[in-house]
Amino acid sequence: MEATAGSSGAPRSALGRWRRRETFAAWAFLLPSLVPFVIFVAGPLLAAVALSFFRYDILTPPEFAGLDNFRHLFADDRILAVYRNTVVYVAGTVGLETVLALLLAVATHRQIPGVLRYVFRTAYFFPVLTSLAAVSIVWGYLYHTNFGVINYYLGTIGGPQIRWLTSSAWAMPALVFLGVWKSLGFSYILFVAGLQSIPRHLYEAAAIDGAGRLSTFANITLPMLSPTMFFAVVIALINGFQIFDSPYIMTQGGPGDSTRTVAMYLQEQGFRFFDMGYAATVSLTLFLVILVLTLIQFRFGRSWVHYG
Amino acid sequence: MATTTPIGQLERERAGPAARDVVRPTRWREHAFDWGVNLLLLAGGVLMLAPFVWAFSTSFRLGRESFSLPPQWLPTDWRLDNYRAVLDALPFFRFVFNSFKVAALITLLQVVTCSTAAFAFARLRFRGRDALFFVFLSSLMIPQYVTIIPIFIIVRRLNLLDSHWALILPSAFSAFGIFLLRQYFLTIPRDLEDAARIDGAGFFEIYRRIMLPLVAPALVTLTIFSFNYHWNEFFRPLIFLTTWEQMTLPLGLTVLRGYLGTGNTAAVMAGVTMAITPVLLVFLLFQRYLIEGITLTGLKE
């Protein structure tokens, strides 16, 4: 990499040579991630857009279909149903999760014996790390109508015997409860970090003014925590819209289509019916949703730079 | 510091023992309230762990006792029959090995590709750096369901269906990993690099001998996140893997349930217990790195 007479007008100084070497080195360091990025991220994204204009069943060559897939999309009753299901799931999990995580974070943000603090953090956070597929299997048994642990305890307090996974009224709530249990700890950890970054002098000032617990919470904690909450909610929304494992394992989308989510629907279209063009079209709608959510976060959320 | 808020207590704790020993009239009420909250939190924590406890205890019982009511929460029995049943019915160790292999190779690959890219983004100057970083970061918002269809077509063309490479190769790029490591690389003072340059070190030496050791905690964090994520992965294995020989653990568990689920729940719980125990161990050992990683990036892959 000797700097030959600079046709690009680069100075022939030592500094110029160094700059060129730096640029060369930078691209060399980037190559190992740039290649898989192009092949497995950027390329496939463009290919998915292209596929949405084709009919392709994998076995026979793709056939140009114009806007057929999009016409299908707008006339498809099932796409409406799966989006409605997904939105219900997202609203339920994100709402419950945020409220519960906030309560938890506030309740543990005080002087607590070290052992208890450790126990709480472990208990509430551990489900986050486990495989959704594995815990869906366990919960499937817990939800069993006749032999399930949950209905047993409902029975002992005189509650109804709910057909959790086999009635269209309860299957979605059952998935929501599992989802909240599974990811509650994630929002909780974010909120704890958010609480720790609130300046102490604000609380000191409130104490001097004689503010009580509730008014301190409403006037200091909540507003100071709002960027964190906003961020946690957007992340939960993005994850929620992509839910697949638990409905696939626990209800197979049923009864009927009552728990089929967008991700399940496109998996069915693409990999069961091998309608790749339509599956790609459906996937693009999901991309659009995530894109809008991310842009909202980007536009309105403050960046995440709290170092507790 | 006359205060009755929980935060006030934290303040006193930080202020040291002298401040904490001040006796005030409302103290007993505060204590009662605190312990009430602690008890509630403890009850909630027990509920959170209950599904694991049930799976664990059931796995050691006779299959026909799986659904005996009222539920027995503690293990009443310590039979290993169910574990043997799992291993007889399916190549379960094979699933474990496959999961380990896939997760380990992806993690290794990502540690290399993410640390080199993060080094370039954080420590080198070149035209287009910020734009490219923005493009990389933007890919975080592409759902896997969008790219999976073209990737399936590529993988099929390469004759890699039902092979672990179908999972490993497309995971070589991780925007999350690059972002996480870049955050750490940015915190390293410039002097170290300058000193090494004066001593005649090249870029690779600076990366390898100075930077990598300094970001070791971040590499641990990335390793845990990446390994855990791919150990638990279900969707992609479902799409790409079809034979028992190749299946990974979460997929294998659903096969196990289909195979033994109605007859022997206890055996299925034995499988679940085997799948979750390593995660528990990693969690207990590396809790600090996990929590740090989440609070630093706010992401979980």
Side-chain angles (χ1 to χ4, degrees):
Chain A
M1 278 305 290
E2 279 307 302
T4 49
S7 55
S8 59
R12 262 179 291 176
S13 63
L15 187 66
R17 221 166 27 236
W18 180 259
R19 278 281 153 76
R20 278 182 170 216
R21 278 191 52 197
E22 189 164 3
T23 302
F24 177 78
W27 289 102
F29 275 107
L30 284 169
L31 204 62
S33 54
L34 200 56
V35 170
F37 172 78
V38 170
I39 300 177
F40 295 113
V41 181
L45 177 63
L46 297 177
V49 174
L51 256 178
S52 66
F53 296 99
F54 283 85
R55 245 184 306 275
Y56 186 41
D57 65 0
I58 288 267
L59 300 173
T60 48
E63 209 182 306
F64 186 71
L67 292 174
D68 280 4
N69 287 322
F70 292 92
R71 267 192 285 272
H72 182 186
L73 186 74
F74 287 113
D76 189 353
D77 288 337
R78 288 185 77 204
I79 191 85
L80 274 181
V82 297
Y83 259 104
R84 200 180 47 229
N85 295 338
T86 310
V87 167
V88 169
Y89 177 84
V90 167
T93 45
V94 175
L96 278 173
E97 188 187 318
T98 307
V99 171
L100 285 176
L102 184 63
L103 282 175
L104 267 179
V106 171
T108 51
H109 190 62
R110 64 199 161 90
Q111 192 189 338
I112 291 179
V115 183
L116 266 186
R117 181 176 295 281
Y118 182 79
V119 168
F120 293 157
R121 202 168 61 174
T122 305
Y124 290 104
F125 185 71
F126 181 59
V128 172
L129 296 176
T130 55
S131 137
L132 182 56
V135 297
S136 296
I137 291 174
V138 176
W139 278 68
Y141 291 114
L142 298 179
Y143 274 136
H144 195 284
T145 308
N146 300 320
F147 306 113
V149 171
I150 293 172
N151 269 357
Y152 171 79
Y153 284 114
L154 274 179
T156 57
I157 56 166
Q161 295 295 289
I162 295 170
R163 287 165 52 221
W164 287 105
L165 299 177
T166 50
S167 74
S168 47
W170 283 102
M172 188 51 86
L175 292 173
V176 167
F177 296 146
L178 165 62
V180 172
W181 170 83
K182 175 80 170 69
S183 50
L184 173 64
F186 181 71
S187 296
Y188 167 61
I189 293 293
L190 288 182
F191 288 165
V192 167
L195 284 175
Q196 282 167 353
S197 71
I198 300 176
R200 280 200 280 162
H201 64 81
L202 293 178
Y203 289 104
E204 281 158 17
I208 289 165
D209 292 349
R213 280 179 205 249
L214 262 180
S215 98
T216 308
F217 178 77
N219 296 312
I220 297 178
T221 309
L222 220 46
M224 290 302 288
L225 202 59
S226 60
T228 309
M229 286 177 60
F230 189 78
F231 180 81
V233 165
V234 172
I235 293 282
L237 287 172
I238 290 175
N239 288 327
F241 268 102
Q242 304 187 51
I243 187 71
F244 176 85
D245 300 6
S246 51
Y248 183 86
I249 288 171
M250 295 171 80
T251 62
Q252 293 82 48
D257 260 350
S258 63
T259 54
R260 195 173 306 280
T261 61
V262 180
M264 282 188 76
Y265 186 57
L266 75 88
Q267 182 263 352
E268 181 200 67
Q269 295 296 318
F271 298 101
R272 199 110 48 90
F273 303 159
F274 291 104
D275 190 347
M276 293 289 175
Y278 190 55
T281 313
V282 173
S283 80
L284 289 179
T285 66
L286 196 57
F287 178 47
L288 206 66
V289 170
I290 309 285
L291 185 75
V292 168
L293 288 173
T294 315
L295 290 180
I296 290 174
Q297 159 70 23
F298 204 70
R299 175 70 184 75
F300 298 105
R302 267 170 267 171
S303 58
W304 178 255
V305 280
H306 302 285
Y307 295 90
Chain B
M1 283 223 312
T3 163
T4 54
T5 59
I7 303 302
Q9 291 196 352
L10 194 73
E11 300 296 290
R12 281 202 305 284
E13 183 190 28
R14 285 182 183 150
R20 215 186 305 159
D21 290 341
V22 179
V23 181
R24 289 173 309 104
T26 53
R27 209 177 153 178
W28 68 271
R29 276 181 58 197
E30 265 175 45
H31 266 273
F33 182 83
D34 275 358
W35 280 102
V37 173
N38 282 351
L39 275 179
L40 265 177
L41 287 169
L42 206 58
V46 168
L47 265 177
M48 292 296 286
L49 295 179
F52 300 116
V53 175
W54 183 79
F56 181 78
S57 307
T58 304
S59 74
F60 290 106
R61 279 194 210 111
L62 274 178
R64 61 182 134 84
E65 288 172 9
S66 298
F67 284 125
S68 62
L69 295 171
Q72 297 287 317
W73 288 98
L74 298 176
T76 46
D77 226 339
W78 289 101
R79 341 181 136 255
L80 293 175
D81 304 18
N82 303 312
Y83 289 83
R84 216 163 296 138
V86 172
L87 299 176
D88 285 345
L90 293 173
F92 202 79
F93 282 139
R94 182 91 217 178
F95 297 160
V96 174
F97 172 79
N98 288 343
S99 273
F100 186 85
K101 175 187 155 193
V102 169
L105 283 176
I106 291 176
T107 304
L108 197 70
L109 206 58
Q110 284 187 359
V111 165
V112 174
T113 63
C114 295
S115 66
T116 48
F119 173 75
F121 282 128
R123 313 302 306 198
L124 300 177
R125 274 160 305 176
F126 57 98
R127 208 177 302 153
R129 180 184 66 181
D130 295 345
L132 185 65
F133 183 67
F134 182 77
V135 169
F136 273 15
L137 209 54
S138 306
S139 72
L140 276 173
M141 62 187 172
I142 305 174
Q144 61 170 337
Y145 307 103
V146 174
T147 47
I148 193 80
I149 296 160
I151 288 177
F152 181 83
I153 295 168
I154 297 172
V155 162
R156 193 171 163 276
R157 280 280 159 78
L158 294 174
N159 252 325
L160 289 176
L161 284 181
D162 199 32
S163 115
H164 293 147
W165 294 111
L167 301 172
I168 296 165
L169 293 178
S171 302
F173 172 81
S174 164
F176 163 80
I178 293 173
F179 179 64
L180 175 85
L181 295 185
R182 178 177 167 273
Q183 297 292 87
Y184 278 82
F185 273 125
L186 283 174
T187 63
I188 297 170
R190 191 123 217 142
D191 316 5
L192 282 167
E193 231 169 324
D194 293 339
R197 273 182 194 179
I198 289 164
D199 289 346
F203 290 106
F204 188 75
E205 271 170 288
I206 292 174
Y207 158 78
R208 175 70 194 79
R209 297 200 184 281
I210 296 173
M211 291 295 171
L212 269 195
L214 285 173
V215 297
L219 296 180
V220 175
T221 305
L222 175 63
T223 301
I224 298 169
F225 270 88
S226 176
F227 193 91
N228 182 257
Y229 181 86
H230 294 289
W231 175 267
N232 289 339
E233 220 183 340
F234 178 72
F235 180 71
R236 291 193 310 147
L238 176 75
I239 298 296
F240 291 124
L241 308 179
T242 45
T243 61
W244 285 6
E245 274 298 288
Q246 301 296 317
M247 277 184 187
T248 53
L249 202 42
L251 189 56
L253 284 176
T254 62
V255 174
L256 180 67
R257 185 188 62 165
Y259 212 64
L260 295 173
T262 43
N264 192 352
T265 310
V268 180
M269 289 308 117
V272 169
T273 302
M274 286 194 266
I276 287 177
T277 310
V279 176
L280 179 65
L281 290 180
V282 167
F283 175 59
L284 293 178
L285 286 173
F286 296 104
Q287 213 184 81
R288 190 171 67 86
Y289 291 99
L290 278 160
I291 309 260
E292 227 168 60
I294 289 180
T295 48
L296 191 62
T297 63
L299 295 167
K300 53 171 176 177
E301 267 233 23

